[in-house]
Amino acid sequence: MASDLEERFAGIASRLVPAQPYRDPDPDERRLAMAAMGHLVAPRRDWSTATAGLTRLGFAYTDDVDTSTGRRYAMYADQARNGQAWGVVLVDLSVPARLVVEVPHPNSDLRTERMGIQLFRLTPGSIVLMAGAHRKAGNGAADVAHNDRSLFSALAAATADRHLPQIQLHGFADHNLAGLDAVVSTGTRTATPAAVRLAEKLRQIGLTTCQSWENSRGRLEGIGNVQALAAVRAGSVFIHLELNWRIRRDNGLRAGAVEAVAAAEIAG
Ligand SMILES: [Zn+2]
């Protein structure tokens, strides 16, 4: 498959609509997903078991070289049969897993799917999780950042259990938080060193940045985020980043913001 990875992701995201079908996994599917992700992120990956599990869940496996980095990746893309719409798991194969990049609201928080691939390219050892439905699908059940029964939540929880740091990418409308470019949150009222570093890096490139542990203005979506709660329970790092539309819509500003995220070294 020669098509560019970022364009492929953007293409997948662009087809998601509020009216599409969505369903949560049943308990067996959830267990199978968590086990498969555990095999993917283990220091010694067990490919065949992970791939067998995800294939049983309806994901199609492909692997290829990302022409922009020269690094090999594996992609598991849900075939969206049976109304499930469970999304995409993208795994960098060059080194063991170090960072999980989450895109929970594709085609709703516009351009976050492009940010996900841009960060993936800057961080060897990344895994990208992208939701497979518009957040309004399934009467809102497809808002995976606020649905702990979603397959996305199961996959993210498995990475939290392995203590992989997660960064979740969101957007907000400029008029919702006038004068702010970025909101960094841990999903709780407590700061973490990685979140503090990220806020510093964003300020260094000139973005007006709010940190949720000091200012309640930014507590839009970060509080009540189910991936954040699971990360707290597992004792692993979770960062919720929201960027306004002014930054996300502009290729240069967006690239600069993603470079700042990579420079914050959330992966350690
Ligand atoms: Zn969002």
Side-chain angles (χ1 to χ4, degrees):
M1 226 164 290
S3 71
D4 177 77
L5 194 53
E6 183 181 329
E7 297 310 321
R8 208 171 150 197
F9 258 65
I12 294 170
S14 72
R15 292 191 287 276
L16 307 181
V17 293
Q20 74 182 105
Y22 170 83
R23 74 168 176 92
D24 286 331
D26 66 29
D28 285 343
E29 290 167 333
R30 190 181 164 79
R31 271 192 292 276
L32 187 57
M34 289 190 74
M37 182 54 91
H39 290 301
L40 275 183
V41 302
R44 288 165 153 247
R45 281 196 187 105
D46 182 347
W47 280 110
S48 50
T49 308
T51 302
L54 290 169
T55 303
R56 256 180 71 195
L57 288 166
F59 288 80
Y61 172 87
T62 52
D63 60 65
D64 204 348
V65 170
D66 179 4
T67 48
S68 133
T69 61
R71 300 198 305 261
R72 184 161 282 279
Y73 65 83
M75 186 187 289
Y76 300 90
D78 177 40
Q79 298 306 287
R81 297 193 188 104
N82 309 316
Q84 57 190 43
W86 289 339
V88 184
V89 180
L90 177 70
V91 186
D92 179 86
L93 299 178
S94 64
V95 292
R98 316 161 47 220
L99 179 69
V100 181
V101 178
E102 296 171 354
V103 181
H105 296 147
N107 211 31
S108 177
D109 296 0
L110 299 176
R111 310 288 189 272
T112 52
E113 64 287 336
R114 290 184 181 274
M115 291 175 62
I117 297 303
Q118 289 164 353
L119 185 55
F120 174 85
R121 286 174 163 164
L122 291 173
T123 315
S126 291
I127 292 182
V128 178
L129 299 183
M130 182 167 82
H134 190 280
R135 69 179 292 175
K136 290 183 178 161
N139 288 322
D143 177 359
V144 296
H146 301 95
N147 176 1
D148 62 5
R149 298 172 312 282
S150 63
L151 196 87
F152 183 97
S153 290
L155 294 171
T159 71
D161 288 347
R162 297 276 182 159
H163 295 116
L164 278 183
Q166 300 168 71
I167 174 143
Q168 193 168 103
L169 304 171
H170 290 268
F172 63 90
D174 294 352
H175 61 83
N176 278 350
L177 291 168
L180 272 184
D181 295 317
V183 178
V184 178
S185 167
T186 55
T188 71
R189 292 173 201 283
T190 316
T192 59
V196 170
R197 282 200 304 276
L198 175 57
E200 280 169 7
K201 291 289 178 191
L202 293 171
R203 285 197 191 95
Q204 280 170 17
I205 61 164
L207 302 200
T208 307
T209 302
C210 166
Q211 40 201 39
S212 66
W213 52 92
E214 283 180 356
N215 184 337
S216 63
R217 247 187 117 196
R219 286 193 198 122
L220 285 178
E221 290 193 23
I223 299 291
N225 181 294
V226 297
Q227 287 80 46
L229 297 173
V232 167
R233 282 195 296 273
S236 61
V237 169
F238 176 91
I239 295 178
H240 184 281
L241 171 64
E242 293 184 63
L243 294 178
N244 68 3
W245 178 231
R246 185 181 80 86
I247 304 297
R248 280 176 291 131
R249 76 191 298 190
D250 182 283
N251 290 345
L253 293 173
R254 186 174 69 243
V258 174
E259 281 162 19
V261 177
E265 298 190 327
I266 295 159

